[in-house]
């Protein structure tokens, strides 16, 4: 039974309050095996070295797309899309995510979520309305802050992963390999850690420079020149 207080809380943090940076009306790669629309939510507490959405990190920036426009697009694409993926930024930063996921489910779409696990409590609130999570584990614990720029950022990330596993929601854990910080031993350490927690789908992503900061592009270019990869024989 939903109490009046709970109903008021949902209304206070409804999907209409979301700050939406943009929307991709069709994607075949943001949720493996699904045709999705992707909703990008503004803001993130971390400043990862290789972030490919640096333009939407500022939580103070105004939204560019309304929730009503998202709903209109989804209504027009029933039968053409399987799912909606909420991405960012860090989508769990915004309280309206819970109501948005609930509404998307009610429209007949599956719900996917891209998260780095920065907000375990909000993640726990939205998980009952989510069908799949793509969760980024950035580094071994000792190198986490080198990637995110924030001390102790490994703690919420691994708490979040455990909450996804406990909820029984399908999850893919991903690590983006910034060669200036991580090496093969680091990746193996992450793999062993998440596998021991119960993860069965773990992928390593090569870093890309699309949408990253100019500083990162320059640093990565210099690094690759100094550390050329030998061609395969």
């Amino acid at each position: 039974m939903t109490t009046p207080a709970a109903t008021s809380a949902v209304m206070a943090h409804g999907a209409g309050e979301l700050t939406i940076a943009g929307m991709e009306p069709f994607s075949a790669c943001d949720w493996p095996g699904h045709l999705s629309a992707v909703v990008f939510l503004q803001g993130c507490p971390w400043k990862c070295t290789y972030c490919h959405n640096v333009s939407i990190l500022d939580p103070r920036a105004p939204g560019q797309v309304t929730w009503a426009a998202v709903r209109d697009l989804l209504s027009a694409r029933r039968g053409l899309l399987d799912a909606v993926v909420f991405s960012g930024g860090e989508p769990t930063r915004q309280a309206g995510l819970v109501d948005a996921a609930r509404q998307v489910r009610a429209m007949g779409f599956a719900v996917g979520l891209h998260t780095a696990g920065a907000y375990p409590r909000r993640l726990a609130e939205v998980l009952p309305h989510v069908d799949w999570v793509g969760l980024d584990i950035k580094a071994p614990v000792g190198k986490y802050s080198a990637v995110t720029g924030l001390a102790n950022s490994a703690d919420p990330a691994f708490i979040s992963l455990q909450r996804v596993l406990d909820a029984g929601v399908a999850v893919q854990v991903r690590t983006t390999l910034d060669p200036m910080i991580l090496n093969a031993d680091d990746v193996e350490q992450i793999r062993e850690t998440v596998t021991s927690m119960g993860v069965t789908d773990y992928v390593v992503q090569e870093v890309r420079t699309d949408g990253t900061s100019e500083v990162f592009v320059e640093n990565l270019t210099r690094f690759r020149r100094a550390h050329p990869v030998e061609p395969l024989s």
Side-chain angles (χ1 to χ4, degrees):
M1 178 177 179
T2 303
T3 66
T7 300
S8 297
V10 169
M11 292 176 64
H13 300 293
E17 301 300 315
L18 288 174
T19 304
I20 303 172
M23 183 174 180
E24 174 59 53
F26 177 85
S27 172
C29 62
D30 284 273
W31 180 352
H34 287 71
L35 301 180
S36 309
V38 186
V39 179
F40 296 93
L41 302 189
Q42 184 78 33
C44 183
W46 296 348
K47 301 293 183 290
C48 296
T49 54
Y50 52 76
C51 180
H52 62 272
N53 278 334
V54 294
S55 63
I56 68 172
L57 295 183
D58 186 352
R60 301 163 298 180
Q64 302 299 311
V65 179
T66 65
W67 179 246
V70 173
R71 285 188 58 94
D72 287 347
L73 183 141
L74 296 179
S75 295
R77 290 192 167 239
R78 282 192 174 102
L80 301 176
L81 297 173
D82 306 317
V84 176
V85 174
F86 291 95
S87 189
E90 173 49 60
T92 61
R93 189 189 69 84
Q94 299 194 40
L97 173 66
V98 179
D99 185 43
R102 184 185 295 111
Q103 289 189 37
V104 167
R105 273 266 193 87
M107 295 179 74
F109 297 97
V111 177
L113 176 67
H114 291 171
T115 180
Y119 299 96
R121 183 178 300 178
R122 181 72 42 69
L123 177 62
E125 293 173 356
V126 77
L127 280 175
H129 313 289
V130 170
D131 300 286
W132 173 83
V133 175
L135 195 149
D136 295 330
I137 292 295
K138 307 286 186 177
V141 172
K143 288 188 172 182
Y144 233 87
S145 62
V147 175
T148 66
L150 187 68
N152 302 316
S153 48
D155 294 343
F158 281 98
I159 290 171
S160 290
L161 175 56
Q162 189 60 61
R163 289 187 175 177
V164 174
L165 293 169
D166 290 344
V169 177
V171 60
Q172 181 183 80
V173 174
R174 299 91 62 88
T175 298
T176 299
L177 180 58
D178 179 349
M180 295 181 288
I181 298 175
L182 302 181
N183 56 41
D185 290 341
D186 295 322
V187 170
E188 188 57 32
Q189 182 179 340
I190 299 168
R191 187 189 306 276
E192 291 176 358
T193 298
V194 300
T195 299
S196 70
M197 294 174 69
V199 171
T200 58
D201 185 3
Y202 175 66
V203 297
V204 179
Q205 302 174 147
E206 291 297 324
V207 73
R208 56 189 176 89
T209 57
D210 298 348
T212 61
S213 68
E214 292 182 4
V215 172
F216 179 76
V217 174
E218 292 171 0
N219 289 342
L220 183 62
T221 299
R222 284 197 296 267
F223 179 88
R224 286 175 168 167
R225 286 172 179 165
H227 302 84
V229 177
E230 295 184 5
L232 296 176
S233 56

